Amino acid sequence: MMRKSLLCANWKMNHTLDSAKDFFRKFRDSYASQDADIVIFPPYPLIYPLHQYADECGVQLGAQNVNENSKGAFTGEISTDMLKSIGVSWVIVGHSERRDIYNETDELVGKKLKKSADAGLKTILCVGEHLETRKNGKAMEHVKNQLDINLSQITNDLISQVSIAYEPIWAIGTGIASTPADAQEMMFFIRQWLAGKYGEGISDRIRILYGGSVKSDNMAGYAAMQDIDGALVGGASLDAESFAGIIRAAI
Ligand code: PGA
């Protein structure tokens, strides 16, 4: 099964409008449109003003988070309708920084995923274990538990909108990336889990990404793995040349 590559830039709380525009000017020069989905996730207020820039480069824009409610008294939060009204088609839910720093539980991540998929948004669910968990040999058990709860409300007709990003937390922003073989082992496990719940045909079509210290010089190793369909990139996606290099290495 050939799945189209998906390369995502998670900018987290970085860039201003000026530096982001600069990114796109440079990106346009260093990146030639490829047969892949390229999605950049800027901070909320930068999404709308960057649309024209993204269109010129043939890349899509997404949001790093979304609220699980439709609307109302939720100061500081952003709804699926708001995102759709400014042309956003992608959302990330359950990033480990949301889980660890903002105490998002598996149940909450499950609600966000359901809300986002119901709204017709393409949604990337992040899962992954802490170093302690891996050292204790419980990484798969941990990821299975996340999948069980996070995907509990996702039915066969919604799962086609979901991609999974496996991001071992010890690899995020540390420069210590997972080996491609270890990442593949987990991706295979995730795909088997998906096949068990949704069937082989659907599981074969779901894109699974690796995330955690991806750089242009290690990307090819992941891209060569059978079950790895792309990457969710943090630090190395902030610079246009660097992100373009990752895309080239992935395809
Ligand atoms: P990193 O972050 O590439 O800086 O390790 C990845 C992520 O958090 O998505």
Side-chain angles (χ1 to χ4, degrees), residues 34-196:
Q34 309 268 5
D35 188 23
D37 284 323
I38 313 294
V39 191
I40 296 183
F41 296 81
Y44 289 131
L46 308 188
I47 298 174
Y48 188 64
L50 289 175
H51 260 303
Q52 187 196 329
Y53 290 78
D55 285 351
E56 281 168 18
C57 298
V59 315
Q60 305 168 70
L61 294 175
Q64 299 169 17
N65 184 23
V66 73
N67 190 271
E68 70 281 12
N69 298 291
S70 295
K71 64 181 205 171
F74 302 102
T75 302
E77 292 294 303
I78 304 288
S79 72
T80 50
D81 279 353
M82 292 171 195
L83 294 176
K84 284 165 66 179
S85 74
I86 60 161
V88 168
S89 50
W90 289 83
V91 173
I92 294 172
V93 299
H95 190 279
S96 64
E97 287 150 20
R98 299 296 321 170
R99 294 175 187 263
D100 286 356
I101 308 172
Y102 299 100
N103 302 318
E104 291 193 4
T105 61
D106 279 323
E107 287 73 18
L108 179 60
V109 172
K111 282 186 193 162
K112 289 183 176 214
L113 179 58
K114 164 86 164 121
K115 186 78 191 166
S116 179
D118 264 343
L121 293 160
K122 287 173 234 157
T123 312
I124 298 177
L125 167 68
C126 301
V127 297
E129 80 287 353
H130 277 284
L131 188 57
E132 269 306 292
T133 312
R134 175 151 289 259
K135 281 189 177 153
N136 293 335
K138 298 209 156 33
M140 283 182 183
E141 195 180 307
H142 176 80
V143 168
K144 177 188 179 302
N145 191 52
Q146 288 182 315
L147 295 172
D148 281 341
I149 304 174
N150 297 163
L151 289 167
S152 62
Q153 298 179 69
I154 300 298
T155 49
N156 277 46
D157 51 320
L158 285 181
I159 190 68
S160 63
Q161 274 155 244
V162 179
S163 304
I164 313 280
Y166 167 59
E167 300 202 298
I169 297 165
W170 45 271
I172 296 179
T174 59
I176 305 166
S178 168
T179 64
D182 283 349
Q184 163 61 26
E185 190 182 32
M186 183 64 87
M187 311 305 213
F188 178 74
F189 173 77
I190 292 171
R191 205 174 294 289
Q192 293 293 105
W193 185 95
L194 291 166

Side-chain angles (χ1 to χ4, degrees), residues 8-12 92 95-97 126 165 167-176 210-215 231-238 246:
C8 297
N10 174 14
W11 282 358
K12 310 189 180 184
I92 294 172
H95 190 279
S96 64
E97 287 150 20
C126 301
E167 300 202 298
I169 297 165
W170 45 271
I172 296 179
T174 59
I176 305 166
Y210 169 74
S213 295
V214 171
K215 307 265 180 318
L232 178 53
V233 188
S237 75
L238 294 172
I246 290 172

